[in-house]
Amino acid sequence: MTTRDTGSAGPEVLSVQDLVKHYPVRRGLFAAPGTVHAVDGIDLRLMPGETLGLVGESGCGKSSAGKTILGLTPPTSGVIRLNGRRIDTLSRGSMRPLRKDLQVVFQDPFSSLNPRMTVGDILAEPLRNFDVVPASGRDGRIAELLDRVGLPAAAAGRYPYEFSGGQRQRIGIARALAPEPKVIVCDESVSALDVSVQAQVINLLMDLQRDFGISYLFIAHDLAVVEHISHRVAVMYLGRIVEIADKAALYARPQHPYTEALLSAVPRPEPGRARTRIPLKGDVPSPLNPPSGCRFHTRCPLAIDRCRTEVPAMTKLRPGHSVACHLRTPD
Amino acid sequence: MTDTAPLLSVRNLQTRFRTDGGEVHAVDGVSFDIRPGQTVALVGESGCGKSVTSLSIMRLLPARAARIAGGEILLNGENLATATEQRMRRVRGNDISMIFQEPMTSLNPVLTIGRQIAETLELHEGLTRREAGEKAIHLLASVQIPEPKRRAAEYPHELSGGMRQRVMIAIAIACSPKLLIADEPTTALDVTIQAQILDLLADLKERTNMAMLFITHDLGVVAEIADHVVVMYAGRKIEEAPVADLYARPRHPYTAGLFGALPVLGSSAGGQTDRLNEIPGSVPSLRSPASHCTFAPRCPRSTDLCRAEVPPLAGQGAGHLAACFHPEPDQKGGTA
């Protein structure tokens, strides 16, 4: 696809170039087949020890992007590199050893843990598959992993159903941690948890990053959680990234009208606070037939004629802050 | 507003579920009032009993699995806890309506939305089919659905999640109820759509002086919509206060802990991100009635007293109650 498909391409641990994921669908018995434009050309770079937040509303393509990066579904086009090595073209077999460095924690820890395996067996599997420790050291390593995520060593002999939601998510994190990965994709990993337990898991993820230098691609819809845990944040709308910036800049000075509206819609725990919401009309258009030009133009309060016809390019406004909007130009 | 007589008064409500392992005390002695035009939020985490409280008020609990074991639910003085099923059928829809988290499961997939609204009107208001059809379109307009006439002829699957929730609200307000119970009505919606629905509910409340019981786990939503807040933990009311007072001076360590555990938008503005406060452990089982403070095992302020006795609700200022032997100090300097 490109000539740069071998060798290292910078210090980033994970990089994604012009990633596209389309799903063919048939809408009805006699209707013409259509295409869901789930991800439509996104670029991401994840540095060692960094958390990149990927936010957006339902159907924006953030989870499809995560699944494609993980290799759970093949990309339509684009380049994905892990440690500088291209992985999107690898066969399952040749990808297998590299998977050690790219792990995942899903939203629902119950459906992602095998109910018939003990927690010890669940954790032993990656240790065996990736030959992380010799067989004799496995039990010790499992106890270490459980301790690291705040569970007692005795948990190894029990089954997933014996644990609460928060504890199950700790098991899911221990499993992701087992092969000592460089990158963990967290797909709505704390979304199903109650606030008090969510705080425990967020703190755990941040502690693990500090101690082991893991990078997270943190996919979530909760803007406050993403701000808390991330270093940089990318905002997606209908398959495209509309803005990406260091978190302090993005939350204090959002540049894309969609980011601005999204942040203004978040209810704040401050009673009596004057609301300065930027109302968005209507709903997100269908990814089956995304709008021309800037995909946000149908709901954008600032849209001009140019937005309807011309796709805005991602433009660097200042170091660490890029936006795809015709109305924003560099300082 | 606190001087008017309450529209709904829940007194010492006890709701229990039968299970193989014995009775579960899902709601254990909860009391609160809602006045006309007031919005009361019932907040707490999964399993705290907030939804069971609302289903008890509507008497929508499955009869074989659950029972109201004690207490009163007074609607304008009439006790709904002991009302006949026939009477409750009149109360539901006419006096109290309810909207839920997932509108798709509450709508009939094979009827147009216009018909579903009209059905309610024919049943409760005795309108003719034609009158009801016209009023349905009117109601769709009042919940700000564009092109209400065209939309009335559509089926639920043709609408987005936000539109479906608007339809549910239209059905709920069709008979001008005095009280609307909203159980996590925006939890399944995206944040921009949630904002639209919260604005709509606030607007309806202003126009009709309808009272609202708003059940949610989201402290941001509570701050936007509620006048008064009841915090539940493990089936019990552990704190209640006017919304501004609760957020400014939470007195129960659980409430204070929840605020500390919440990531807040704008946290990166200062450059340094504080560690979130953790509430250790998890929610206890509700197998037996409380014989001590149920939060004590997770509480940083607990003492032997907390592990021996149930703390009574005690006044912490105007309209502010907390069930705690060792409440958080009043950070504003005032005393309770």
Side-chain angles (χ1 to χ4, degrees):
Chain A
M1 243 167 267
T2 70
T3 50
R4 298 180 295 161
D5 55 359
T6 51
S8 171
E12 62 264 11
V13 61
L14 178 77
S15 78
V16 168
Q17 284 166 24
D18 202 19
L19 183 69
V20 175
K21 178 65 194 177
H22 289 172
Y23 294 98
V25 289
R26 189 173 271 278
R27 269 179 286 182
L29 204 51
F30 304 107
T35 303
V36 172
H37 299 243
V39 180
D40 235 353
I42 65 169
D43 297 305
L44 293 172
R45 291 183 314 137
L46 186 62
M47 301 297 163
E50 181 189 49
T51 301
L52 175 64
L54 190 57
V55 294
E57 299 182 286
S58 332
C60 73
K62 58 190 190 299
S63 282
S64 288
K67 288 201 179 77
T68 312
I69 290 167
L70 284 161
L72 300 178
T73 178
T76 305
S77 63
V79 178
I80 304 165
R81 289 172 201 273
L82 181 66
N83 295 323
R85 181 160 171 202
R86 191 161 174 184
I87 57 168
D88 56 286
T89 48
L90 295 180
S91 66
R92 281 181 90 89
S94 30
M95 181 61 204
R96 215 180 145 89
L98 300 186
R99 232 175 243 300
K100 173 187 176 303
D101 278 337
L102 182 60
Q103 291 289 308
V104 61
V105 177
F106 290 107
Q107 169 168 4
D108 181 352
F110 204 50
S111 60
S112 58
L113 297 174
N114 187 335
R116 294 181 201 185
M117 287 167 77
T118 63
V119 170
D121 292 340
I122 288 170
L123 297 181
E125 213 171 33
L127 294 177
R128 196 169 43 237
N129 287 348
F130 299 115
D131 220 0
V132 185
V133 285
S136 59
R138 244 171 241 156
D139 287 348
R141 179 72 181 132
I142 288 168
E144 246 174 63
L145 282 166
L146 287 170
D147 179 59
R148 198 62 200 77
V149 298
L151 290 171
R158 292 158 64 193
Y159 290 88
Y161 76 86
E162 299 179 64
F163 296 88
S164 69
Q167 289 171 325
R168 287 200 290 256
Q169 200 55 298
R170 289 173 191 271
I171 297 166
I173 292 170
R175 178 177 58 183
L177 215 54
E180 297 165 16
K182 299 264 189 348
V183 179
I184 298 181
V185 175
C186 299
D187 189 357
E188 299 280 10
S189 304
V190 301
S191 309
L193 305 174
D194 276 317
V195 170
S196 67
V197 177
Q198 177 180 282
Q200 298 170 7
V201 175
I202 291 172
N203 285 345
L204 172 63
L205 288 170
M206 293 176 84
D207 290 348
L208 294 173
Q209 179 168 67
R210 183 196 60 211
D211 295 349
F212 301 119
I214 304 167
S215 305
Y216 295 125
L217 178 62
F218 194 87
I219 301 167
H221 69 279
D222 187 318
L223 291 150
V225 168
V226 167
E227 179 180 14
H228 187 86
I229 204 167
S230 305
H231 298 99
R232 287 186 303 133
V233 176
V235 181
M236 277 186 84
Y237 185 79
L238 271 181
R240 297 214 176 113
I241 291 174
V242 297
E243 183 162 8
I244 183 164
D246 297 331
K247 74 166 165 189
L250 188 105
Y251 282 81
R253 291 183 304 279
Q255 293 299 312
H256 197 283
Y258 177 63
T259 314
E260 242 181 309
L262 196 61
L263 288 172
S264 78
V266 178
R268 316 279 186 109
E270 301 161 34
R273 181 177 193 275
R275 274 184 267 176
T276 46
R277 249 183 227 154
I278 302 159
L280 286 185
K281 292 266 176 266
D283 296 309
V284 181
S286 164
L288 263 170
N289 192 9
S292 60
C294 172
R295 292 195 170 172
F296 186 56
H297 85 252
T298 56
R299 302 173 78 201
C300 183
L302 307 177
I304 54 172
D305 281 346
R306 190 178 169 202
C307 306
R308 283 175 257 280
T309 51
E310 198 182 319
V311 178
M314 195 54 117
T315 310
K316 187 180 271 187
L317 293 183
R318 58 187 77 89
H321 200 153
S322 298
V323 66
C325 178
H326 291 309
L327 297 168
R328 302 284 184 254
T329 48
D331 290 341
Chain B
M1 192 155 67
T2 47
D3 293 338
T4 52
L7 169 70
L8 182 83
S9 185
V10 175
R11 303 278 107 215
N12 196 27
L13 179 68
Q14 308 266 351
T15 305
R16 296 183 190 160
F17 280 82
R18 285 179 274 274
T19 69
D20 291 342
E23 275 202 319
V24 172
H25 297 245
V27 178
D28 190 9
V30 166
S31 304
F32 60 90
D33 289 347
I34 307 177
R35 287 162 216 288
Q38 191 185 29
T39 298
V40 173
L42 213 50
V43 284
E45 300 182 289
S46 319
C48 72
K50 57 191 190 301
S51 285
V52 176
T53 302
S54 67
L55 291 172
S56 302
I57 295 167
M58 286 294 264
R59 293 268 309 277
L60 285 173
L61 291 163
R64 281 163 53 198
R67 67 189 178 101
I68 296 176
E72 292 176 314
I73 299 160
L74 302 172
L75 180 71
N76 283 325
E78 178 189 1
N79 189 2
L80 302 182
T82 53
T84 62
E85 181 51 34
Q86 197 183 3
R87 172 67 190 139
M88 281 312 295
R89 245 174 278 156
R90 300 269 330 144
V91 169
R92 292 184 207 120
N94 279 337
D95 299 307
I96 311 179
S97 323
M98 190 160 180
I99 53 174
F100 297 92
Q101 176 170 341
E102 185 31 79
M104 196 58 191
T105 53
S106 322
L107 289 169
N108 186 334
V110 298
L111 287 183
T112 64
I113 59 167
R115 194 83 272 287
Q116 297 188 50
I117 301 171
E119 205 172 46
T120 313
L121 293 164
E122 287 166 39
L123 203 68
H124 286 273
E125 308 261 279
L127 300 189
T128 65
R129 204 178 161 103
R130 191 200 173 90
E131 289 167 340
E134 277 167 16
K135 191 166 176 202
I137 292 166
H138 195 74
L139 280 163
L140 287 176
S142 79
V143 294
Q144 292 149 30
I145 290 187
E147 301 176 75
K149 203 161 181 176
R150 183 171 70 80
R151 289 295 189 177
E154 291 188 341
Y155 292 89
H157 76 269
E158 299 177 81
L159 305 180
S160 67
M163 283 293 167
R164 278 182 213 137
Q165 197 56 286
R166 285 175 192 272
V167 171
M168 285 311 299
I169 294 170
I171 294 174
I173 63 168
C175 306
S176 317
K178 301 184 192 84
L179 174 67
L180 176 69
I181 300 180
D183 189 351
E184 303 267 11
T186 61
T187 304
L189 303 175
D190 277 319
V191 63
T192 56
I193 308 299
Q194 167 172 276
Q196 295 172 2
I197 298 291
L198 291 178
D199 284 346
L200 172 65
L201 288 172
D203 175 57
L204 280 175
K205 189 185 119 177
E206 204 157 292
R207 268 172 17 211
T208 63
N209 201 37
M210 179 175 72
M212 199 155 40
L213 178 62
F214 201 100
I215 291 135
T216 182
H217 68 280
D218 187 323
L219 292 164
V221 169
V222 172
E224 289 226 344
I225 197 134
D227 303 309
H228 196 81
V229 188
V230 173
V231 184
M232 288 184 70
Y233 183 78
R236 301 178 68 85
K237 174 173 86 175
I238 53 110
E239 185 160 14
E240 80 163 290
V243 66
D245 197 29
L246 186 83
Y247 282 63
R249 349 174 273 140
R251 303 305 297 274
H252 198 287
Y254 174 65
T255 316
L258 279 184
F259 283 121
L262 194 66
V264 177
L265 209 63
S267 64
S268 62
Q272 181 82 28
T273 307
D274 290 338
R275 193 178 171 82
L276 295 172
N277 172 52
E278 294 180 21
I279 301 178
S282 50
V283 178
S285 119
L286 306 173
R287 289 262 178 258
S288 49
S291 58
H292 55 85
C293 174
T294 45
F295 187 61
R298 306 176 72 189
C299 183
R301 303 175 72 82
S302 66
T303 62
D304 287 345
L305 178 61
C306 310
R307 289 179 282 272
E309 280 177 47
V310 180
L313 283 157
Q316 305 289 339
H320 196 152
L321 295 169
C324 181
F325 290 121
H326 312 291
E328 299 280 329
D330 184 345
Q331 284 152 5
K332 293 274 162 74
T335 48

